[in-house]
Amino acid sequence: MRAVVIEKPGSLSVQDVPEPVPGPADVVVDVGACGICGTDLHIADGEFPPSPYPLVPGHEFAGTVSAVGDSVTTGIAVGDRVAVDPSLFCGHCRQCRRGRGNLCENWGATGDTVDGAFAERVAVPASTCYPLPEQLSFAEGALVEPVSCAVHGVRRLGVEAGERILVLGAGTMGLIMLQLLVAGGARVSVVDRVAEKLPMAERFGAVAVATSVDELPRRAFDAAVDVTGAPPAIEDAVRSLDRGGRIEIFGVAAEDAVVRLSPFRIYNDEITVVGSMAVLHSYGAALELVADHQVDVASLVSHTFGLADFPHALDLVRTGQTVKAQIAPAAGATP
């Protein structure tokens, strides 16, 4: 079968690879759609330490079950449409036993630490598959994983109705986060350097949008969420906080990235710094939100490419020319 393979940082190609074979507790999924995430850029560049090489990336996906392992007892069957939680927690380390599997000492994820879904087919544990409601397309199903990350992020931030929240970044994750925060009663302002992305933020309920924090009418926020992973944006977010404010680091930064913060201000203003890592008991809730159209994900898909176009698609994502780009193995490219 055909798959995207990152041989080493900076070197990727679409090539023939062996067909996946399900283990006793696994299923094989024919990939219907798989989204390109910012994390995929870091993996391609060697900036995501858990990833080994060579690796088939791709962790936001949905598709159809085409093979089932001998020991699968979940009732899943060939032909079922599924969305897949990529999380691979060990279940027995200290963090897993504390209920914090996303911090697993043996953390793994399909497409991040084992071969993923930028391929025609992928083998995954049957336990990570969720039935995809008939009203949802594979493109929408592939966006359940980003929504589940945002659900975990909103829970970590502890947002209250009426709070003033700043979101840095109006890409896929920023727009999903915006929708969840607005649904929770927050008043959300959004900043993105690409002005063309801001009308969609307004459509999803942002009370103010701008291409820099300095252009916003209000700059004293109860909380800020950075979805860019860019140190200058994080520093801007912290400067925008009111006393007692909270900053959530949601975007993935390079491992060696650093930011300059005032420890005096953190002390004196009681600033809280929160991290949010991937998915934690949030995939099922995210699927329900998408299925009930409480979060509009269909509008976020701006580009769809076939496997052969993956290098070009990755370049478009890297240069900020997409909202959400997805790979569909049988698809041609959209503008």
Side-chain angles (χ1 to χ4, degrees), residues 18 21 44 55 113-115 165-166 178 182 199 226 232 260 285 312 324 326 334:
V21 177
L55 178 72
T113 62
V114 300
D115 286 344
I165 312 293
L166 171 65
L178 165 64
V182 169
D226 175 72
R260 292 176 59 88
H312 173 58
K324 171 54 70 175
Q326 292 184 336
T334 60

Side-chain angles (χ1 to χ4, degrees), residues 84-306:
V84 183
D85 180 349
S87 305
L88 302 173
F89 308 150
C90 76
H92 57 75
C93 72
R94 180 172 180 268
Q95 295 293 348
C96 283
R97 290 180 175 179
R98 294 173 64 202
R100 305 195 70 179
N102 65 322
L103 305 182
C104 174
E105 294 167 15
N106 306 293
W107 184 87
T110 301
D112 291 341
T113 62
V114 300
D115 286 344
F118 289 132
E120 293 178 307
R121 286 169 289 284
V122 59
V124 298
S127 61
T128 64
C129 295
Y130 288 69
L132 184 65
E134 286 300 321
Q135 71 267 30
L136 295 182
S137 66
F138 288 134
E140 292 170 303
L143 276 154
V144 172
E145 193 276 343
V147 174
S148 70
C149 292
V151 168
H152 176 54
V154 170
R155 291 172 176 173
R156 289 279 294 157
L157 192 59
V159 178
E160 297 180 2
E163 286 196 303
R164 301 162 299 175
I165 312 293
L166 171 65
V167 172
L168 275 296
T172 301
M173 294 311 308
L175 293 171
I176 291 172
M177 184 70 74
L178 165 64
Q179 292 183 68
L180 292 176
L181 293 170
V182 169
R187 294 171 290 165
V188 186
S189 299
V190 176
V191 169
D192 195 289
R193 293 181 302 173
V194 181
E196 290 76 13
K197 294 182 178 180
L198 296 176
M200 188 170 284
E202 291 181 305
R203 170 185 161 189
F204 287 144
V207 298
V209 298
T211 56
S212 75
V213 173
D214 292 339
E215 296 173 2
L216 289 172
R218 176 185 294 279
R219 288 194 292 160
F221 294 93
D222 298 305
V225 181
D226 175 72
V227 300
T228 70
I234 295 169
E235 292 170 358
D236 283 346
V238 174
R239 282 193 291 270
S240 76
L241 294 176
D242 202 351
R243 300 193 74 188
R246 315 183 304 283
I247 169 71
E248 179 169 86
I249 310 300
F250 185 88
V252 180
E255 186 182 23
D256 60 353
V258 295
V259 296
R260 292 176 59 88
L261 302 178
S262 164
F264 177 81
R265 180 160 184 242
I266 291 173
Y267 144 77
N268 192 60
D269 291 353
E270 292 195 344
I271 301 298
T272 301
V273 179
V274 176
S276 181
M277 162 61 179
V279 181
L280 182 65
H281 311 311
S282 51
Y283 197 91
L287 180 56
E288 291 179 6
L289 288 168
V290 174
D292 292 341
H293 299 292
Q294 298 299 303
V295 179
D296 178 357
V297 294
S299 298
L300 303 179
V301 181
S302 58
H303 297 71
T304 303
F305 297 91

